[in-house]
């Protein structure tokens, strides 16, 4: 009896030939998403490339000739032409401003240290763009993120990338189970970024040597304060630099120029002990400084939790996991104590310095690669 080969799954997990599987690829114009699109096109999938126009650099920076966004769109379009699949540019500027930029400005002014890339994934790419992919009757949507989607006993699971140096799980913790069902991450298993660039060269892509973007896309030179000033005029009002014990040590030219944990550039020399920014009081226009031990935090209040574990989040009094409180730090062991289905207090077994409201707290399986969700750090 002949074996029924039609039930075999293709590389994207569907029981049909690649040519009958439509995949929308979110193309930023960078090497990662370009390789994903080229790879899937070469494998014979029905690829549709989509690039989002999120902001106009010229307007954001109030100067001419700063439109990196235009170059990225051009690069994405060229890859689509070379590989022979359709490519669309969608104007998401208003959505992006409402869902990402405005909140970034407001939370920064409230003394938080926001991570707009997470909000963009959550509110724009994996929400509106994902709906667009469904409207285009795509079977799934693929991105160039370095993260892995694996099929577990209870459905798809989110796992760290094979290359720990490229892992983007911190920025994708708010991906819901429903979104995860629809998303694919073809680069997550690669051993290194070099492997991605080798694939780009193999497909003959002009972006093979394009440098990685380093900054938040709408803050292209890393100067947050200048962007905030344009978005919120008057935000850079001067005030006092105050020691935690109440002494006035100096003045500053705007709370927006400081971040929690900062030591350099405070402009208050001649002190016997090194001082760090321990609090930003926006209402009083004060930058509060103190000794390093004041930065150590053990209990972290977290809200807006997206839980990706198998059992309901509040079905247990506590979860023993590992957490990241900054994208650049390794996961550290912690205990999560749910206070509702979407809020919790996280106890760090080893206190961490510079835990800042506005950053994410992402939950990992201790000793494993699975991401169990995460939430947003707030003042409590």
């Amino acid at each position: 009896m002949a074996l029924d080969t039609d039930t075999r799954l293709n590389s994207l997990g569907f029981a049909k030939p690649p040519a009958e599987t439509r995949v929308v690829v979110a193309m930023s114009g960078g090497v990662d998403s370009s390789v994903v699109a080229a790879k899937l096109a070469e494998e014979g999938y029905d690829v549709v490339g989509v690039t989002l126009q999120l902001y106009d650099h010229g307007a954001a920076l109030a100067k001419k000739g700063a439109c990196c966004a235009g170059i990225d769109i051009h690069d994405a379009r060229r890859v689509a032409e070379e590989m022979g699949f359709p490519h669309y540019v969608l104007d998401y500027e208003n959505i992006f401003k409402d869902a990402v930029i405005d909140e970034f400005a407001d939370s920064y002014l409230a003394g938080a240290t926001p991570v707009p890339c997470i909000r963009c994934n959550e509110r724009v790419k994996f929400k509106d763009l994902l709906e667009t992919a469904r409207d285009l009757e795509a079977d799934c949507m693929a991105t160039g993120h370095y993260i892995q989607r694996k099929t577990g006993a209870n459905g798809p699971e989110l796992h760290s990338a094979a290359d720990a140096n490229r892992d983007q799980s911190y920025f994708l913790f708010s991906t819901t189970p429903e979104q995860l069902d629809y998303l694919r991450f073809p680069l997550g298993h690669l051993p290194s970024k070099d492997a991605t660039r080798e694939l780009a060269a193999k497909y003959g892509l002009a972006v093979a040597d394009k440098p990685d973007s380093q900054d938040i896309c709408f803050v292209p030179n890393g100067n947050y304060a200048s962007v905030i000033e344009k978005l919120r005029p008057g935000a850079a009002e001067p005030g006092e630099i105050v020691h935690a014990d109440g002494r006035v040590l100096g003045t500053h030219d705007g709370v927006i120029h400081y971040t929690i944990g900062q030591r350099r550039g405070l402009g208050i020399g001649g002190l016997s002990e090194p001082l760090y920014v321990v609090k930003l009081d926006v209402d009083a226009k004060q930058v509060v400084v103190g000794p390093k031990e004041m930065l150590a935090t053990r209990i972290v209040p977290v809200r807006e939790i997206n839980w990706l574990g198998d059992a309901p989040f509040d079905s247990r009094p506590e979860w023993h996991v590992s957490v990241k409180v900054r994208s650049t730090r390794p996961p550290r062991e912690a205990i999560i104590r749910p206070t509702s289905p979407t809020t919790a207090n996280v106890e760090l077994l080893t206190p961490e310095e510079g835990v800042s409201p506005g950053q994410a707290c992402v939950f990992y399986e201790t000793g494993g690669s699975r991401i169990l969700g995460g939430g947003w750090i707030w003042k409590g």
Side-chain angles (χ1 to χ4, degrees):
M1 193 176 100
L3 193 69
D4 180 12
T5 55
D6 289 341
T7 55
R8 286 185 192 167
L9 301 181
N10 62 33
S11 66
L12 292 176
F14 298 98
K16 53 184 177 179
E20 292 171 23
T21 306
R22 176 170 292 175
V23 51
V24 162
V25 179
M27 299 181 69
S28 66
V31 65
D32 299 325
S33 55
S34 296
V35 165
V36 167
K39 182 175 189 290
L40 295 174
E42 194 195 50
E43 288 174 17
Y45 287 97
D46 176 10
V47 173
V48 179
V50 175
T51 300
L52 303 181
Q53 164 109 19
L54 296 177
Y55 56 91
D56 176 351
H57 260 325
L61 294 176
K63 67 180 186 188
K64 290 195 173 100
C67 189
C68 304
I71 296 167
D72 291 336
I73 289 168
H74 168 77
D75 286 344
R77 186 177 286 136
R78 188 160 59 163
V79 169
E81 282 173 9
E82 287 169 5
M83 299 303 296
F85 59 83
H87 175 257
Y88 301 98
V89 178
L90 304 181
D91 182 354
Y92 272 40
E93 281 195 41
N94 290 340
I95 292 171
F96 187 68
K97 186 173 186 308
D98 292 346
V100 180
I101 295 182
D102 283 343
E103 185 194 66
F104 168 81
D106 292 340
S107 68
Y108 202 88
L109 288 176
T113 311
V115 193
C117 305
I118 299 175
R119 288 299 197 199
C120 181
N121 289 328
E122 175 188 320
R123 296 176 175 176
V124 181
K125 291 178 185 165
F126 292 175
K127 184 167 172 270
D128 294 297
L129 178 56
L130 201 132
E131 286 307 312
T132 299
R134 291 189 198 277
D135 292 342
L136 290 168
E137 297 179 352
D139 294 282
C140 63
M141 184 171 103
T143 79
H145 288 107
Y146 286 88
I147 194 164
Q148 298 188 80
R149 173 192 184 277
K150 298 182 178 182
T151 304
N154 294 295
E157 298 174 354
L158 206 56
H159 288 258
S160 303
D163 178 7
N165 293 322
R166 305 296 310 178
D167 177 58
Q168 289 174 294
S169 57
Y170 184 85
F171 301 99
L172 296 165
F173 79 84
S174 61
T175 307
T176 65
E178 185 192 24
Q179 291 167 344
L180 193 54
D181 199 46
Y182 194 67
L183 288 163
R184 301 293 186 274
F185 309 106
L187 301 184
H189 67 285
L190 293 181
S192 68
K193 179 75 178 213
D194 289 343
T196 306
R197 293 198 185 276
E198 283 166 18
L199 283 172
K202 176 186 143 187
Y203 300 130
L205 303 181
V207 294
D209 298 317
K210 187 174 178 176
D212 291 342
S213 55
Q214 298 296 334
D215 299 309
I216 293 168
C217 66
F218 58 90
V219 191
N221 53 2
N223 187 348
Y224 290 26
S226 67
V227 173
I228 303 281
E229 281 182 68
K230 288 193 180 65
L231 293 167
R232 300 286 184 272
E237 292 177 10
E240 294 175 335
I241 298 176
V242 183
H243 194 285
D245 64 15
R247 287 177 289 151
V248 176
L249 300 178
T251 58
H252 63 79
D253 54 3
V255 172
I256 58 169
H257 298 289
Y258 298 84
T259 54
I260 301 288
Q262 179 178 335
R263 182 185 165 193
R264 300 185 193 283
L266 299 180
I268 44 170
L271 297 163
S272 56
E273 58 171 353
L275 295 175
Y276 298 78
V277 176
V278 296
K279 184 183 173 190
L280 298 171
D281 189 332
V282 177
D283 296 330
K285 299 192 177 82
Q286 286 184 337
V287 173
V288 183
V289 297
K292 192 175 187 182
E293 51 268 23
M294 286 190 71
L295 287 170
T297 303
R298 183 179 285 278
I299 304 295
V300 182
V302 179
R303 62 183 174 185
E304 287 182 67
I305 288 170
N306 178 56
W307 178 246
L308 295 172
D310 295 328
F313 181 58
D314 53 356
S315 64
R316 286 193 205 167
E318 54 184 48
W319 297 89
H320 290 251
V321 299
S322 293
V323 303
K324 269 190 186 189
V325 292
R326 285 260 165 118
S327 63
T328 50
R329 295 183 187 174
R332 305 270 176 86
E333 286 191 52
I335 300 168
I336 305 173
R337 296 187 177 91
T339 50
S340 82
T342 58
T343 58
N345 288 314
V346 176
E347 180 184 353
L348 306 173
L349 299 192
T350 306
E352 290 236 23
E353 291 171 357
V355 176
S356 181
Q359 294 275 328
C361 178
V362 181
F363 313 150
Y364 296 81
E365 168 189 53
T366 299
S369 63
R370 187 173 177 188
I371 293 116
L372 297 169
W376 294 94
I377 299 169
W378 64 303
K379 293 184 174 75

